[in-house]
Amino acid sequence: MKNFIDRENELQFLEDQYSASSASLIVLYGRRRVGKTALMTHFIQNKRALYFLVTEESEHQNRNAFKDMVADFTGNALLKAAAVDHW
């Protein structure tokens, strides 16, 4: 892995979670313009991963966009056709 300045601890944590045998959810948050997106896009390079960035659209639009992305990622036509009214 190429050096990613001052993010070695974060990258190691993400790698540990990615390699774990159990499922986990990682929420990445923080101040604007500190490199959260760069960190994640760097980390998921060459990995089977799904990256979804919530937009300023409505919750309904974000939920449907996420559903469609997951359906495409997994190849699940049933999910693609499903109506999802809640997270």
Side-chain angles (χ1 to χ4, degrees):
M1 182 180 303
K2 292 181 182 177
N3 286 342
F4 201 61
I5 298 172
D6 292 333
R7 294 296 188 157
E8 291 83 10
N9 291 340
E10 291 91 339
L11 287 169
Q12 186 60 55
F13 172 79
L14 293 170
E15 194 63 51
D16 292 345
Q17 293 301 307
Y18 186 81
S19 301
S21 60
S22 60
S24 61
L25 171 68
I26 298 168
V27 177
L28 185 62
Y29 67 95
R31 294 187 329 258
R32 295 182 64 212
R33 315 290 304 164
V34 295
K36 296 178 299 291
T37 300
L39 175 67
M40 288 311 299
T41 55
H42 176 82
F43 174 71
I44 65 174
Q45 286 178 347
N46 303 315
K47 289 181 171 67
R48 181 165 161 72
L50 180 79
Y51 178 81
F52 180 75
L53 179 64
V54 174
T55 65
E56 292 186 16
E57 295 175 309
S58 71
E59 179 180 345
H60 174 77
Q61 289 170 309
N62 276 292
R63 191 172 49 243
N64 281 328
F66 180 71
K67 175 201 60 119
D68 290 343
M69 184 180 280
V70 171
D72 291 342
F73 184 77
T74 61
N76 188 323
L78 185 60
L79 177 59
K80 184 81 168 180
V84 179
D85 298 325
H86 304 285
W87 284 105

